[in-house]
Amino acid sequence: MPEGDTVWQAAHRLHATLAGHSLVRSDLRVPRLATADLTGRAVLDVTPRGKHLLTRVEGGLTLHSHLRMDGAWHTYAPGERWRGGPSHQIRAVLGTASHTAVGYRLPVLDLVRTTEEPRLVGHLGPDLLGPDWDPAEALRRLLAALD
């Protein structure tokens, strides 16, 4: 089962290979997103938020995925054989000129406006691994909980 560190590592691997590059391939293999096409949009960043992955693309859109029990994202160089599982388990393919990211067994896959992200992850509170982590605020909350 993927834990926070696995999601954090996946986000950093995806960010390193996709961010700053335009998508030349976009294939979202869930019925409600089957007609969504992100081709031509640049990936701005990939951010972990708890066990959620937020892939932000040009135009104010975020591809939200959650790994739950056995989801995974793998990245491949051109021509490299995909090894994350059988093709019927692929839920998302995002490709740039230099890499392809493939999401396997993703139980949650949504495309939302980036401004709607708080609706998806706002209930999580501060992210211990996030850039906005504030130890003083954490201490304040812990002390408040003891009262």
Side-chain angles (χ1 to χ4, degrees):
M1 170 174 35
E3 294 296 341
D5 62 324
T6 304
V7 177
W8 188 87
Q9 289 174 9
H12 285 270
R13 187 175 57 255
L14 290 169
H15 182 85
T17 57
L18 299 176
H21 302 280
S22 293
L23 295 172
V24 297
R25 182 173 183 187
S26 165
D27 185 5
L28 305 178
R29 299 179 183 181
V30 294
R32 72 183 173 287
L33 300 178
T35 60
D37 186 8
L38 301 175
T39 304
R41 295 175 188 258
V43 175
L44 304 175
D45 67 71
V46 181
T47 300
R49 193 70 172 89
K51 288 188 169 186
H52 302 261
L53 286 168
L54 305 171
T55 303
R56 298 179 181 116
V57 297
E58 252 179 346
L61 294 175
T62 297
L63 183 64
H64 165 248
S65 58
H66 193 292
L67 304 182
R68 290 218 178 134
M69 294 295 284
D70 64 347
W73 280 95
H74 296 274
T75 57
Y76 303 101
E80 186 178 356
R81 185 173 167 267
W82 297 0
R83 304 172 307 280
S87 62
H88 72 271
Q89 293 180 342
I90 295 172
R91 297 293 174 261
V93 179
L94 300 175
T96 67
S98 61
H99 287 89
T100 300
V102 182
Y104 293 90
R105 299 170 302 280
L106 300 174
V108 176
L109 191 65
D110 299 301
L111 185 62
V112 300
R113 292 246 161 244
T114 301
T115 56
E116 294 178 25
E117 286 178 11
R119 177 178 59 83
L120 302 170
V121 296
H123 65 283
L124 297 174
D127 187 345
L128 295 174
L129 300 175
D132 58 347
W133 170 247
D134 182 352
E137 175 62 14
L139 179 60
R140 185 194 69 73
R141 288 180 182 215
L142 284 170
L143 293 173
L146 295 174
D147 289 340

